Amino acid sequence: MGQDDLMSTAEDVADQFLRVTKQYLPHLARLCLISTFLEDGIRMWFQWNEQRDYIEATWGCGYFLATCFVLLNLLGQLGGCVLILSRNFVQYACFGLFGIIALQTIAYSILWDLKFLMRNLALGGGLLLLLAESRSEGKSMFAGVPTMRESSPKQYMQLGGRVLLVLMFMTLLHFDASFFSILQNMVGTALIVLVAIGFKTKLAALTLVVWLLAINVYFNAFWTVPAYKPMHDFLKYDFFQTTSVIGGLLLVVALGPGGVSMDEKKKEW
């Protein structure tokens, strides 16, 4: 079997998977994508005192403002997640979660930590994809009305979402000399670049989903570490961040790459 035959077979398998799962895939993608916000909102509830005391001590803002910060994080994240999953006021929910990301970036001094900053930007990329999806749902209501080509804002939101997902993947790279780490970096980087430029997008994104899912369950198994150990929280954070990127990739699979991509340009050529 030649290389072209192998690629064609892989694309056929991916298309078959999409046909079988097309009704459920967007819902699963949204749930995975917002899982970081869900987990963080729930953590705010269970660690209310610790979070409030941290903000009060770090910023010297007083008990009342620190409590308001934690409450805003809790309600903003859980409320935004409920709206997105129920498909109500999705755009407002996304803008609210953008605000939460910006607020946490400043409050927890993430701005000066490149790795965490890139992860927050990647979450923003996932929200851009949710915004693009909500715009396409709005357009489908007017399916019979003649329109111009796909609106530029949606195209560039999809492009921006894909590119920002690359940032998250870069934080997952392992810079050690073991064979598996080198293989993992090479394979993953090749796939995420294909997703970013929009070439063989659905196949590359689906393959990367399987790859990241296996790595996430194996390396970030926080449930195997006792809750009182600091490593438990670190692994849990990595687990849900990676799950959010998996959700973003699944949304790319469900939505397609958009107009600003090599896949779409090939149709014009």
Side-chain angles (χ1 to χ4, degrees), residues 103-258:
L103 187 64
Q104 290 189 352
T105 299
I106 296 170
Y108 293 105
S109 302
I110 291 172
L111 202 58
W112 316 117
D113 189 319
L114 183 60
K115 183 174 181 178
F116 285 98
L117 179 62
M118 288 167 65
R119 292 190 175 195
N120 273 16
L121 288 173
L123 287 177
L127 293 176
L128 274 179
L129 292 172
L130 284 173
L131 278 174
E133 183 198 26
S134 70
R135 286 180 66 89
S136 86
E137 285 179 346
K139 285 184 64 182
S140 69
M141 294 169 61
F142 304 98
V145 180
T147 59
M148 297 176 65
R149 289 188 61 190
E150 187 179 10
S151 62
S152 291
K154 182 195 167 189
Q155 291 183 28
Y156 289 107
M157 277 192 285
Q158 286 179 274
L159 173 63
R162 295 200 317 270
V163 171
L164 287 173
L165 286 175
V166 177
L167 295 178
M168 174 63 189
F169 182 79
M170 288 171 64
T171 67
L172 302 177
L173 297 177
H174 295 275
F175 298 103
D176 56 66
S178 69
F179 173 76
F180 182 76
S181 292
I182 295 171
L183 178 65
Q184 175 185 334
N185 292 346
M186 289 177 62
V187 172
T189 301
L191 290 170
I192 200 70
V193 167
L194 291 178
V195 172
I197 65 176
F199 181 71
K200 304 287 185 185
T201 315
K202 291 185 177 182
L203 177 60
L206 203 55
T207 306
L208 193 52
V209 164
V210 175
W211 182 264
L212 285 178
L213 184 62
I215 289 174
N216 201 26
V217 171
Y218 183 77
F219 285 108
N220 297 325
F222 65 89
W223 53 88
T224 64
V225 179
Y228 62 85
K229 292 188 175 181
M231 184 56 68
H232 177 90
D233 288 335
F234 283 116
L235 291 177
K236 183 190 284 188
Y237 179 83
D238 281 350
F239 180 87
F240 283 102
Q241 287 276 330
T242 307
T243 302
S244 288
V245 173
I246 289 172
L249 290 167
L250 285 174
L251 209 53
V252 169
V253 173
L255 285 177

Side-chain angles (χ1 to χ4, degrees), residues 72-93:
L72 180 62
N73 268 273
L74 189 153
L75 295 180
Q77 291 185 101
L78 295 184
C81 291
V82 169
L83 290 176
I84 287 171
L85 291 177
S86 64
R87 313 308 295 146
N88 292 309
F89 306 105
V90 173
Q91 294 191 24
Y92 295 109

